[in-house]
Amino acid sequence: MTIRRTEGPKPTIRSTAASEAQSKTAAKPATIAPNVIKDGFGPAAKTSDLARAEKTLKPLPPPVGRLSLESREAQTAIQTSLAHLAPSTQTSIRNPGIIGGVQFPAYTPKSVERDSLGMTHVRLDRQHEGVKVFGEQVVTHLDADGKVKSTTGDQSEIPAGLGAQKPKVSHSQALDIAMKAFDGKPDRQPNSERVIYKDISGEYHSAYRVEVTNVDGTDNPRKMNYLVDANTGKLFEQFNTIDGFARQHGAAHGHSHAHGADHADHAHGADHAHGAAATASEIKASATPKAEIADLATVTSKINVTQDGTVDQLKLDLDIDHTFKGDLSVTLTSPSGKSETVHNRKGGSADHIKGSFDLSAFAGESAKGEWTLSVKDNARRDTGTLNSWGLTITPKAVEPNEPGPSEKIADDTSMYSGKVALETKKQADGTYTLEDGTRGKGVATYDAMNRERASGQTQIKDNNDVWGEATDPERNKAAVDAHYGGQMMYDYMKDILGRDSIDGAGEKLVSYVHVSNNYVNAYWDGEKMSYGDGDGRNSGPLTALDIAGHEIAHGLTERTAGLIYRGESGGLNEAMSDIMGAGLEWYASQKNPDVKFNWTVGETAWTPKDGDPTDGLRYMDDPTKDNYSVDNYKNYPKQTEVHGSSGIANNAFYLLANGGTNRTSGIEVKDAIGMEKGLKIYYRALAHYMTPSTTFAQARTATINAATDLYGADSVEVAKVKESWTAVGVN
C-alpha cells in the first residue's frame, strides 16, 4: 500500500547574486512596431486622429469571477496581499523561500476572485515553516483600486519549530492508526499529509491528516479524515467529509405538522396578498396591510405575483391616509430588485395619497415574483396608515406555443417539477442525450447502471427529444429531474448569485442516476453527484430540486470557503447547502408554476410519513419540528452533530429572508428583506468572507460584511442581518 506524501509546496530557492546579475545584463527584446491594417477605402488616419480616437475608446471592464493564479491581475493582487500581511519581510526578501529555517511568505495562494462590485478577494492557505496549517486561511479584500480594504481569517501565532522539527511518527505509522479507526476496507488509495493542527483548546501541534474513503456498496458513504499527533500517535479527531442525504438524521425522529408555501405572508402582519389574471392579457394583484406609518419609520408590504409574463405596462393603485402628504417617500421594487419612486416628499400639505400611478418604467421586467412597496415617513408629528395597494400589469403579447429566442418549449415531463425544458445533445444516429453544452463547460447526466461506484459516461437517450413520455424507458424518469436540477442550479448561480458554476469558472456539473439498487441516498463526492433510486417506501428517486441544490451546494462550499465538516463549521456547511437548496427551489418556482417553494427540506422525494408529500427531513422555519435539530445557539452544546446544528443558521436565514419568530428566544424579526437579497448576502459571505474553520459568530460577521458591501453599512439589510442572528442566539 503506497502513501502519497504532501508536505506542502516546495520552498522557492532564492536566486544567487550571479543569476541576478545575469538577468540584469541580459539583452532586452527589440520593440516590434505594431502592424497597421488598411481596409483600402480611405487614407490612413493621421496621428492626431488616432490619438483623438484612442481617447474616446472605453476600456473593457475587468473580468468577473475566478482568475487564473498565473494571470497578471491575480499575481498583482497576491503580491499586494502578501505585502499587506507581512510588510516587514517584503522589503528585505525579493524572492520568497526558506531563510534561516523560516518560510516566507507564511501563505500560499489558493484562489483569486473578482466580484461585480469591482473588489478582488485573495484566498490564502496558511503555512508554517513549510507545512500547511490545517483548516486555516486568510482572505484579503482589495477595493476597486487594488488596495487592501480588509482581511478575514486566522492569523494567530504558531510556536516556532512545529514545522521544522522531524516527527517521531512516520507517514506509514499515522496511516496504520487511521486504518485501525476506519475499521473497514477502503475503495480508494488512502493518503496522508503533514499538517500543523490546532486542537479544541487552541493549542497547535505537529500532526498528520489521513484520508480514507469507502463509498462503494454502502448506504453510508465515507471519506474519513483523521488528525493524528505526529509525535505521539494520538488521534485528535475524526470526521466524514461526505454528506449523504440519507444520513441527515432529522427523518428518523418523527415530525409534527407539515406546512405549505404560504409563510412569506407571515412577516407582514395583515398583509394578505392575492393575485389572479383579470383577462388573458392582464395581471392584477393587491394587498390590504392596514399598516400604521409611524414617525420617521418605514413600512413595507409585499405582493407575490404568481403569473408569468414580461411587463409592458404597469399601474400602481395606492390608498394611503396621512396627515401630511409631503412627508412621505413611496417606492416600488420589482422581483429583480429594480426600484422606482412614486412620491419623494412631494405634494405640499394635501392629506393622503390615493389614486393610480403609471409605472411603465418597469417595462421589460418579469411580472412573476415578489413586489415590494416601501413607505417612509421623513418628518415628526404626523401619522398615517397604508390601507391598501395594488398592481395592474399588462404583459407583452406572446404568441401561443412560441418560445422566446433563447427558450425551449417545456415539453419534457419530470417526476417532481412538472413540465420542464431540457437542453440536450443530438447524436449522429439521430437520438438525443442528456448533455447540455449551453451552460458553462456543460451539464451532463449519465446512467450509473446500478453500479456501486458511479463512473463512465453511459448516455441516457431519447428518440424524439421529448423526455418523460409514457412510452419512454422507465430509467429515463429520474434522469429528467437530475438533469433539470443541474441546469437550474447553474442558472440560479449565474442569475442570482452572479457566479459561473461552483468554481466561478464554468465547471461542468455531472450527475449520475441509478446508483446501486434500492439506494436511499444522494451525495456529492467532490467531483460529481450520485443519486439513488430510493426504496419506494421511505423515498422515491432522490432527484428533487432542493436535494440536488443541497448536494451541488456542497461543491460550491468546497470550491469557496471549504467549511470543515465537523463542529460549528460543519453545521454552517450543512446550513449553506439547505439555504442554497431552498434558493434553487425558490428560483425554479419563479419560472415553473409546477415547482412549489417552501421551507421544508426534501419533502417531494422523502416521504416517511405515509407518503405525505409535505413531510421532509428538516424545517428551516422551525428547525425544532423534527425533534432533533436546534434553532438557537444556546442549545448548541446539546446538539453538535452537523445536521442538527444546521438549524441555527437555517433559521437565521429564514428570519432574514421571510421574517418571523425564533421559537427558543421568542425574538421576532419584522420586515424581512426577501429571498434574493438574503441569498446574495449569504453567498457573498460564503464565497469571500468565510474560511474552513468559520464559527457561527464569525458567520454573523461574514454576513454583516457581505451585506455592507452590497447595500451599505447603514442599510436596512445590514440591520436585518444583525437582528436575525441575534434572534437565533448568535451575537
Side-chain angles (χ1 to χ4, degrees), residues 27-44:
K28 295 182 179 180
T31 302
I32 301 174
N35 291 328
V36 178
I37 300 175
K38 299 181 181 180
D39 59 14
F41 292 96

Side-chain angles (χ1 to χ4, degrees), residues 519-714:
Y519 190 48
V520 187
N521 214 341
Y523 60 90
W524 166 266
D525 68 1
E527 299 177 352
K528 61 186 181 296
M529 277 297 307
S530 291
Y531 293 103
D533 289 328
D535 58 6
R537 183 180 67 257
N538 287 320
S539 79
L542 282 90
T543 51
L545 269 177
D546 58 350
I547 297 176
H550 176 105
E551 298 299 343
I552 296 173
H554 278 302
L556 173 63
T557 296
E558 186 177 297
R559 303 290 190 266
T560 54
L563 292 162
I564 300 173
Y565 205 62
R566 53 90 160 101
E568 294 192 26
S569 58
L572 286 168
N573 189 317
E574 267 301 296
M576 292 306 304
S577 278
D578 280 351
I579 290 164
M580 293 300 159
L584 174 60
E585 190 176 79
W586 165 80
Y587 172 79
S589 73
Q590 310 299 302
K591 298 176 174 293
N592 181 349
D594 291 325
V595 174
K596 307 303 180 185
F597 164 65
N598 59 33
W599 295 97
T600 309
V601 178
E603 75 285 353
T604 54
W606 188 265
T607 58
K609 241 187 161 185
D610 300 323
D612 182 352
T614 62
D615 189 47
L617 288 179
R618 285 188 298 283
Y619 303 93
M620 297 174 70
D621 59 337
D622 180 8
T624 65
K625 286 168 65 173
D626 66 10
N627 299 319
Y628 180 79
S629 300
V630 294
D631 69 346
N632 196 284
Y633 190 69
K634 68 179 288 185
N635 292 323
Y636 176 72
K638 301 176 185 177
Q639 178 54 283
T640 59
E641 193 276 321
V642 296
H643 298 92
S645 67
S646 67
I648 298 167
N650 277 347
N651 198 237
F653 178 82
Y654 167 80
L655 296 174
L656 174 67
N658 185 83
T661 302
N662 179 262
R663 177 180 292 274
T664 297
S665 70
I667 297 175
E668 182 181 7
V669 177
K670 298 180 179 180
D671 301 326
I673 67 173
M675 282 293 286
E676 184 163 347
K677 287 183 176 179
L679 290 166
K680 288 179 184 293
I681 290 170
Y682 269 63
Y683 158 71
R684 186 177 182 84
L686 174 72
H688 304 315
Y689 286 101
M690 294 185 187
T691 66
S693 55
T694 292
T695 63
F696 286 112
Q698 290 167 340
R700 173 190 169 106
T701 301
T703 50
I704 291 172
N705 288 338
T708 300
D709 290 346
L710 292 168
Y711 306 108
D714 298 325

Side-chain angles (χ1 to χ4, degrees), residues 25 62 71 74 78 89 184 211 297 304 425 480 501 533 628 631 633 659 703:
T25 58
S71 68
I78 291 168
T89 65
E211 185 173 277
N304 186 42
K425 180 180 180 180
V480 171
S501 194
D533 289 328
Y628 180 79
D631 69 346
Y633 190 69
T703 50

Side-chain angles (χ1 to χ4, degrees), residues 187-188 213 215-216 221 223 241-244 442 444-448 451-457 482 486 502 507-513 515 522-532 547-548 550-556 558-559:
D187 53 24
R188 308 289 193 278
T213 302
V215 299
D216 297 345
K223 184 182 285 186
T241 64
I242 288 185
D243 163 52
T445 304
Y446 300 114
D447 192 336
R451 292 188 297 265
E452 306 296 349
R453 181 189 301 186
S455 61
Q457 293 186 359
I502 58 176
E507 180 173 344
K508 187 175 183 178
L509 299 179
V510 179
S511 298
Y512 285 84
V513 293
V515 175
Y523 60 90
W524 166 266
D525 68 1
E527 299 177 352
K528 61 186 181 296
M529 277 297 307
S530 291
Y531 293 103
I547 297 176
H550 176 105
E551 298 299 343
I552 296 173
H554 278 302
L556 173 63
E558 186 177 297
R559 303 290 190 266

Side-chain angles (χ1 to χ4, degrees), residues 711-728:
Y711 306 108
D714 298 325
S715 65
V716 171
E717 290 79 6
V718 169
K720 294 302 173 183
V721 168
K722 294 177 180 178
E723 287 180 30
S724 60
W725 281 111
T726 297
V728 300

Side-chain angles (χ1 to χ4, degrees), residues 37-339:
I37 300 175
K38 299 181 181 180
D39 59 14
F41 292 96
K46 297 179 181 179
T47 303
S48 57
D49 294 334
L50 288 172
R52 284 193 293 271
E54 288 175 354
K55 290 182 180 180
T56 64
L57 294 176
K58 293 183 179 180
L60 291 173
V64 173
R66 179 162 294 196
L67 307 180
S68 168
L69 290 179
E70 290 74 33
S71 68
R72 182 178 64 181
E73 295 88 348
Q75 284 296 311
T76 299
I78 291 168
Q79 292 305 317
T80 300
S81 301
L82 294 176
H84 175 81
L85 292 168
S88 61
T89 65
Q90 298 305 309
T91 56
S92 59
I93 302 175
R94 181 173 301 169
N95 296 301
I98 291 183
I99 303 173
V102 180
Q103 171 81 18
F104 291 102
Y107 309 93
T108 57
K110 182 176 179 62
S111 67
V112 179
E113 294 194 20
R114 182 180 284 120
D115 64 34
S116 59
L117 302 180
M119 293 179 64
T120 301
H121 308 271
V122 180
R123 189 175 289 274
L124 302 148
D125 286 325
R126 286 196 78 185
Q127 301 279 327
H128 181 68
E129 299 170 350
V131 179
K132 181 179 179 180
V133 183
F134 174 73
E136 293 194 5
Q137 291 178 345
V138 173
V139 187
T140 59
H141 312 284
L142 283 62
D143 61 21
D145 295 326
K147 298 179 180 178
V148 176
K149 180 180 179 182
S150 63
T151 62
T152 54
D154 197 339
Q155 299 183 61
S156 55
E157 185 176 351
I158 301 173
L162 283 183
Q165 70 184 17
K166 182 179 179 180
K168 297 178 181 178
V169 174
S170 68
H171 278 274
S172 60
Q173 289 172 323
L175 183 57
D176 289 341
I177 293 168
M179 287 298 298
K180 183 177 180 180
F182 187 73
D183 192 25
K185 184 177 180 180
D187 53 24
R188 308 289 193 278
Q189 181 65 47
N191 62 75
S192 68
E193 65 173 339
R194 173 92 181 283
V195 296
I196 304 298
Y197 166 78
K198 183 165 68 173
D199 65 21
I200 193 170
S201 69
E203 183 179 354
Y204 285 97
H205 304 268
S206 175
Y208 293 102
R209 182 187 71 87
V210 183
E211 185 173 277
V212 189
T213 302
N214 185 344
V215 299
D216 297 345
T218 174
D219 290 335
N220 183 24
R222 292 188 294 165
K223 184 182 285 186
M224 294 299 300
N225 274 229
Y226 301 94
L227 278 302
V228 180
D229 192 308
N231 291 314
T232 67
K234 174 185 176 181
L235 184 60
F236 289 119
E237 67 168 314
Q238 56 182 294
F239 56 90
N240 188 0
T241 64
I242 288 185
D243 163 52
F245 193 78
R247 292 195 301 106
Q248 298 172 4
H249 299 284
H253 298 269
H255 303 278
S256 48
H257 304 292
H259 60 280
D262 59 348
H263 292 272
D265 295 334
H266 294 178
H268 311 288
D271 186 3
H272 302 294
H274 57 276
T279 68
S281 60
E282 194 172 80
I283 299 170
K284 287 191 174 183
S286 63
T288 54
K290 297 291 185 181
E292 178 186 357
I293 305 170
D295 274 351
L296 302 178
T298 299
V299 171
T300 62
S301 177
K302 299 179 185 293
I303 286 177
N304 186 42
V305 174
T306 58
Q307 294 94 324
D308 286 311
T310 300
V311 175
D312 186 27
Q313 298 178 9
L314 186 148
K315 183 178 70 173
L316 170 66
D317 294 304
L318 287 178
D319 183 356
I320 301 175
D321 289 325
H322 202 257
T323 55
F324 198 78
K325 180 179 177 183
D327 287 349
L328 297 182
S329 300
V330 183
T331 303
L332 181 67
T333 303
S334 72
S336 72
K338 180 178 179 180
S339 295

